[in-house]
Amino acid sequence: MDLLIVGSGFFGLTIAERAAASGRKVTVIDRRDHIGGNAYSEDEPETGIEVHRYGAHLFHTSNPAVWEYVNRFTTFTDYVHRVYTNHKGVVFPLPINLGTINQFFNAAYSPSEARALIHEQAGEFDVKDAANLEEKGIALIGRPLYEAFIRDYTAKQWQTDPTELPAEIISRLPVRYTYDNRYFNDTWEGLPTDGYTAWIERMADHPNIEVKLGVDYFDVAQPLNKKATVGQVPVVYTGPVDRYFDYTEGALSWRTLDFEREVLPVGDFQGTSVMNYADADVPYTRIHEFRHFHPERADRYPTDKTVIMREFSRFAEREDEPYYPVNTPEDRAGLLAYRELAKGEKDVHFGGRLGTYQYLDMHMAIGSALSMWNNQLS
Ligand code: FDA
């Protein structure tokens, strides 16, 4: 074995694929019973509808090198992501755009009229002086839109009143003064034509790659554990950085999600893939309906059943799946301390969203793995 990779998400698999293609023998371990990390998807057994087990995953990128690379393993559909939100029983388009504004104010403002209105409403606070997330939100888009679309949704995401959340959580709240409600601005977007798992399996399909599932790096009972491998073989570690160092500098905080999946006896539940619920009286933040990610599979998917997934958000306990870094000042200090410790680890390379404690979209995880391969490992 020339390289041990801990974690079979997009970061780990990109390194594995590059190393294998250059003739290295690679072993990838993952403690889960499947490869692919959080991008893993599976067909729901009753309906055959592809569901994303760890939350909806939409691929998008403006990075030509990443786009060229991912197209070696999969083609992409022409799916374009759009999100809607239910506020007080009325559905509005997101991100906030001229359509949202005109529907909300029951008006027909032109772009410049809408801009002037929002500017006036946002004058209540100055962004620079905002003492908390609520004041910052109002300073960015004015109180009416903030209270309708941001306040309760944010409170549900963080289980904290926005007046008690730091202003830095949001840097900007995009408002578009056109009717464009395309969610992503990237050059390329789409979903893997035959699913995430087929894509991920193709990346790992090389005689030089051995994948071992259900293997935890910290389980001393299995031979490829930390103690037995560090210093013996180069390691790419994509698990949580604080876990690697036994939480000596404190546990970094994360938010997690709970998903409630249900098969419903209707052909179409909500007419779109993602519906947010903006208000406090609905406990979940959004509902995904997976059939809408693949309209081109209409002839394959049942017409009398659909799969939905309600999403709930909360702070993660140690045994929960870590999804989004909270990034408090203590977390940032802890991360710096872990980075110092990481420098002292002989030939261990920390990567991916857990290994670097940062939210990474798939194209970012793949892009940073390609950089690590080209600049440090190859
Ligand atoms: P990832 O978490 O995928 O893989 C890490 C792997 O390491 C896991 O398989 C884990 O089991 C394994 N591991 C950890 N500890 C271990 C140990 N001790 N021993 C062995 N294995 C261990 N991106 C995007 O582009 N579009 C989108 O729409 C979304 N949507 C989205 C929704 C939600 C809810 C989340 C949380 C994230 C997204 N993402 C996304 C981001 C996407 O999931 C992310 O880019 C990739 O998962 C990053 O891949 P990594 O390989 O870094 O981590």
Side-chain angles (χ1 to χ4, degrees), residues 6-13 29-32 34-39 54-60 184 196 215-218 237-240 243 257 259 286 311 321-324 351-355 359-366:
V6 181
S8 66
F10 270 121
F11 192 95
L13 284 186
I29 61 168
D30 204 296
R31 61 178 182 176
R32 289 177 176 166
H34 61 76
I35 61 168
N38 279 4
Y54 304 96
H57 276 67
L58 297 313
F59 188 80
H60 55 97
F184 299 116
Y196 279 98
V215 176
D216 191 319
Y217 193 47
F218 302 104
Y237 175 80
T238 74
R243 172 70 188 90
L257 301 173
F259 298 113
R286 47 188 179 167
E311 183 175 310
E321 287 294 341
Y323 280 146
Y324 299 107
R353 58 181 202 97
L354 301 167
Y359 179 81
L360 296 175
D361 271 325
M362 291 178 279
H363 68 280
M364 298 156 88
I366 294 165

Side-chain angles (χ1 to χ4, degrees), residues 92 100-109 117-118 121 144-145:
F92 297 84
T100 324
I101 293 169
N102 277 331
Q103 193 180 337
F104 185 75
F105 292 108
N106 206 7
Y109 295 124
L117 175 78
I118 303 307
Q121 292 180 342
L145 292 176

